[in-house]
Amino acid sequence: MNESGHKADQCVGLAIAGLAASLLPGALAALVELKLSDNAQFRHLPGACKLMGTAVVSGDQTWRSRLSGCRGS
């Protein structure tokens, strides 16, 4: 897959993750933890950071302290 296809997949994935998080209680936390896991198939630090940042901007301050681990990613 080329670079633009990979970026498009990431965008779609983040959109789906955001929708799921807004509809299901605890879904955001589960998605972030999955993206922060040691499992190579699911680990995606930039995606976790994006989700946490979006949550903080939306008013969920519980993620603010964890965002410090995202600097430079």
Side-chain angles (χ1 to χ4, degrees):
M1 178 181 303
N2 64 28
E3 183 66 25
S4 63
H6 183 66
K7 293 280 186 195
D9 286 347
Q10 287 179 342
C11 290
V12 169
L14 284 173
I16 291 170
L19 178 61
S22 69
L23 297 175
L24 303 169
L28 177 66
L31 287 167
V32 170
E33 294 301 333
L34 189 63
K35 289 181 177 294
L36 294 174
S37 74
D38 290 332
N39 185 310
Q41 182 179 359
F42 299 114
R43 184 167 180 81
H44 189 254
L45 184 58
C49 292
K50 178 71 173 173
L51 287 171
M52 289 187 287
T54 300
V56 169
V57 168
S58 297
D60 185 350
Q61 299 302 307
T62 58
W63 298 104
R64 182 174 292 288
S65 64
R66 300 218 27 212
L67 277 172
S68 63
C70 293
R71 305 241 192 302
S73 63

